[in-house]
Amino acid sequence: MSGKRSLVRSGTTVDQMVRAIGDRIVTGFLRPGEKLDEASLAARFDVSRTPVREALGQLSAMGLVERRPNRGAIVAVVTQEHLASMFESMAELEAICARFSAERMTAGERRALEIEHQASARLVQLGAEEDYEYFNTDFHTRLYRGAHSKHIYELTVMTRSRLAPFRRAQFMLSGRLAKSWQEHDVIVTAIMRGDGAAAGNAAKNHVSIVSEASAVFAAGDQPKVASTVPVTAG
Amino acid sequence: MSGKRSLVRSGTTVDQMVRAIGDRIVTGFLRPGEKLDEASLAARFDVSRTPVREALGQLSAMGLVERRPNRGAIVAVVTQEHLASMFESMAELEAICARFSAERMTAGERRALEIEHQASARLVQLGAEEDYEYFNTDFHTRLYRGAHSKHIYELTVMTRSRLAPFRRAQFMLSGRLAKSWQEHDVIVTAIMRGDGAAAGNAAKNHVSIVSEASAVFAAGDQPKVASTVPVTAG
DNA sequence: CCGGAGGCAATTGCATGCACTTTTTGCCTT
DNA sequence: AAGGCAAAAAGTGCATGCAATTGCCTCCGG
C-alpha cells in the first residue's frame, strides 16, 4: 500500500481492523444483515484485502459477523429466539457476576462501586442520558471485574458485545433512567452486605427488564444510531 | 499449491485448518505453550501460509492459541488462576444448563437422557473407560442442548473446548467412573422430576469434583495423550 | 571474562495476482 | 412477454513475493 496507517493505535493492522469493524458493528453504525464487502472495507481503511479478510474471520469467530463461503460476509443477524437466548444468558451471567462480587469484592472495590453509584444519582436527577450510559457501562464492568474470575469476565463481555447492537437507545424510554438507578441500588445494597444470592437475583432481574425494553427495538426496527458510545445493560 | 486437499471435509481451506489445528490442541496433540510455526503448519497440511494465518487468527479469537505480534503463535497457555476460573465458569454454566434442562426438556428429551444414562451403567460395570468417555461427552451435550438456549449452548461448548486439554485422562483415576455415574444419576433424577434448583446444584457439584481431579494434571504436568477422543466433564 | 552494539538469518505481516465460484445481465427461444 | 440459458462481471479464496520486524550470533571494548 502507501503511507502509514492514520490511526496510530496499537497492534497489527489486523487488530486495528478487528477493532474498527467490530466497533462499527457494536455501535450500530453497521447494521445487522449489512453486507461487508472486502474490497470496499479495504479501500475504506486503506489496506489490502488480506488484513480485512483476517479481521472478518476473527469477527466471525467472535460471532459478530457471519460468513458464507464464497458468498461474502454480513453483519451477524440473529433470530428473535437467538436474541432472547442471548439476553437470557446475559441475565444469568450478570447474576453470577453479582453473586461473586458480593462474595469476593475487596473493600476497595466495594467502596468504589458504592461511591460511583451514589454519584450517578445526580445524573438521574439531571436526566443526563448520555452521561448515565457511560456510567452504566462502567458500573456493570465493575461487577464483571468484581467477580474475580477472568473467564466469567470474558464470557460476559463477549455476550455484551453481541447484544450491544440491539440495546441502543434503551434509555430513551421515559423513566428508564430512574428505574435503572433503583435497580442498581438493590444490587449495590446486596453486594455491600455480602448477600450473594440477593445480588444475583437483583442483577438477573435488572437484565430481564432491559431485555424487555430492548425487545421493542428488536421487533422490526434495527438500531439506527451511529454514536461511538459503548453500551451495556441499563 | 498443488493437488486437491486430501481431507474432503466441508468448508473452505481455512475452516479445515481451524478444525485441524483446533482438534490437535483440544485433544492434547499440540501442547500448551508449543510454538505454532506458520511455515511448518503450511507444509504439514500442504497449503500456503495464508489460510494458516487466518486459521491462527480465528483460533486466537477463540482463545485456543495466543498470538504475539511479530513473534509467532503458541498454543494458549493458561495460568493456574485462569484454569481455576475456567473450571469455575464451567460449573456455573453446567448448573445453568441442568437447571434449564429440568425446566424445559421435552418429554422425548427426558426419556432419551434417562435411557442413555441407564444404558451407561453397563459401561461402568465393565470398566470401559474409553466408551464411557464417549457416553459422557454425549450426556453433557444432551444437557447443554436440553437448556434450549442457543447462546448458553455456545458459551458452554466453547468453555468445554478450552478446558479439554486439561481434562485428559481424568477417568484414569480409580473409582472415578462409578462416582461419575452416581453424580450423573443425581442430575438425571432431579431433571426427571423437574427440579431445576436441585439439578443445577448437582451439576455444579459434579464439575467441581472433576475440577479437583483435573487439578492434579494441571499442577506441573501438561497433558500427554494424543488420542482423538473428544473430552467432556466427567 | 562479561556486557553491549551491529549485522545476519529466520519469521512474520501485508500486498498483489490469479483461479474459481457466484451472480447478474442480455439474448434467444417458445 | 416470459422463461431459460449463456457469457460476462463481480467478488471470494488462496498462493506467492517482498518488506519489515525480531532474535541470535558475532565481534569489539571494557
Side-chain angles (χ1 to χ4, degrees):
Chain A
M1 53 148 268
S2 42
K4 272 265 177 269
R5 206 76 343 87
S6 41
L7 271 297
V8 258
R9 286 287 294 274
S10 67
T12 68
T13 302
V14 174
D15 287 340
Q16 295 176 21
M17 297 299 301
V18 169
R19 273 196 298 268
I21 300 175
D23 276 358
R24 279 167 175 72
I25 293 173
V26 162
T27 59
F29 185 83
L30 293 170
R31 314 226 291 271
E34 191 160 334
K35 191 158 193 313
L36 296 172
D37 182 64
E38 294 177 2
S40 310
L41 287 170
R44 169 76 184 73
F45 291 102
D46 190 29
V47 297
S48 83
R49 276 179 49 230
T50 306
V52 173
R53 283 184 59 76
E54 289 195 30
L56 290 177
Q58 295 192 29
L59 290 165
S60 165
M62 296 182 213
L64 279 178
V65 321
E66 202 171 319
R67 249 186 159 182
R68 293 95 39 98
N70 287 313
R71 302 193 43 198
I74 60 174
V75 177
V77 60
V78 301
T79 66
Q80 199 68 17
E81 298 107 286
H82 199 172
L83 185 65
S85 161
M86 286 200 289
F87 269 114
E88 179 181 84
S89 307
M90 196 66 203
E92 297 291 336
L93 289 170
E94 292 246 8
I96 294 171
C97 289
R99 172 156 49 88
F100 283 175
S101 286
E103 294 166 357
R104 302 177 179 179
M105 270 188 165
T106 66
E109 285 172 326
R110 284 170 211 271
R111 194 161 40 240
L113 183 73
E114 169 93 68
I115 289 173
E116 273 234 358
H117 171 60
Q118 292 303 342
S120 75
R122 184 174 214 77
L123 300 177
V124 178
Q125 289 173 346
L126 299 173
E129 283 162 4
E130 192 155 327
D131 288 342
Y132 187 81
E133 185 159 331
Y134 268 114
F135 155 75
N136 183 57
T137 301
D138 227 63
F139 178 83
H140 284 270
T141 304
R142 269 177 208 282
L143 289 191
Y144 308 160
R145 288 211 183 283
H148 293 188
S149 173
K150 190 134 192 294
H151 192 69
I152 286 279
Y153 177 82
E154 288 168 3
L155 294 180
T156 309
V157 168
M158 177 181 164
T159 301
R160 176 169 71 175
S161 299
R162 290 181 60 177
L163 278 173
F166 301 95
R167 256 181 179 144
R168 313 242 91 242
Q170 56 182 282
F171 289 115
M172 310 300 259
L173 290 129
S174 74
R176 187 77 197 93
L177 224 63
K179 220 178 286 181
S180 169
W181 192 89
Q182 283 162 11
E183 289 164 13
H184 284 193
D185 200 55
V186 178
I187 299 173
V188 171
T189 305
I191 288 179
M192 294 315 274
R193 67 170 194 271
D195 187 340
N201 285 334
K204 192 188 294 192
N205 200 43
H206 178 48
V207 177
S208 299
I209 293 174
V210 175
S211 159
E212 285 158 25
S214 298
V216 179
F217 296 94
D221 270 338
Q222 293 294 6
K224 305 188 174 52
V225 198
S227 108
T228 70
V229 183
V231 192
T232 317
Chain B
M1 55 147 264
S2 42
K4 270 266 175 273
R5 208 75 343 88
S6 40
L7 270 297
V8 260
R9 284 290 293 275
S10 68
T12 68
T13 302
V14 174
D15 288 341
Q16 295 176 20
M17 297 297 302
V18 170
R19 274 195 297 269
I21 301 175
D23 277 358
R24 280 168 175 70
I25 294 173
V26 162
T27 60
F29 186 83
L30 293 171
R31 315 228 290 269
E34 190 159 333
K35 191 159 194 313
L36 295 173
D37 181 63
E38 295 177 3
S40 311
L41 287 170
R44 169 77 183 74
F45 291 102
D46 189 30
V47 297
S48 83
R49 276 178 48 230
T50 307
V52 173
R53 282 184 59 75
E54 289 194 30
L56 290 177
Q58 295 191 29
L59 289 165
S60 165
M62 297 182 215
L64 278 177
V65 322
E66 203 171 319
R67 250 188 156 179
R68 293 95 39 99
N70 288 315
R71 303 195 42 204
I74 60 173
V75 178
V77 58
V78 301
T79 65
Q80 198 69 15
E81 298 109 286
H82 199 172
L83 185 66
S85 160
M86 286 200 289
F87 269 114
E88 178 180 84
S89 308
M90 195 66 203
E92 297 290 338
L93 289 170
E94 292 245 8
I96 293 170
C97 288
R99 172 155 50 87
F100 283 175
S101 285
E103 294 166 357
R104 302 176 179 179
M105 269 189 165
T106 65
E109 285 172 325
R110 284 170 211 271
R111 194 162 40 241
L113 183 73
E114 169 93 68
I115 290 174
E116 273 233 359
H117 171 60
Q118 293 302 343
S120 76
R122 184 173 215 79
L123 299 177
V124 178
Q125 288 173 345
L126 298 173
E129 283 162 2
E130 191 155 327
D131 288 342
Y132 187 81
E133 185 159 332
Y134 268 114
F135 155 76
N136 183 56
T137 301
D138 227 64
F139 178 84
H140 284 270
T141 304
R142 269 175 208 281
L143 289 190
Y144 309 160
R145 288 211 182 283
H148 294 189
S149 173
K150 190 134 194 295
H151 192 67
I152 286 279
Y153 177 82
E154 287 168 5
L155 294 180
T156 310
V157 168
M158 177 182 164
T159 302
R160 175 169 71 175
S161 298
R162 291 181 59 177
L163 278 174
F166 301 94
R167 258 183 178 143
R168 314 241 90 242
Q170 57 182 282
F171 289 115
M172 312 297 258
L173 290 129
S174 75
R176 186 79 198 92
L177 224 62
K179 221 177 284 181
S180 168
W181 192 90
Q182 282 162 12
E183 290 163 13
H184 284 193
D185 200 55
V186 177
I187 298 172
V188 171
T189 304
I191 288 179
M192 294 314 274
R193 67 169 195 272
D195 188 340
N201 285 335
K204 192 188 293 191
N205 200 44
H206 178 47
V207 177
S208 299
I209 293 173
V210 174
S211 160
E212 285 158 26
S214 297
V216 178
F217 297 93
D221 270 337
Q222 293 295 8
K224 305 187 175 55
V225 198
S227 107
T228 71
V229 183
V231 193
T232 317

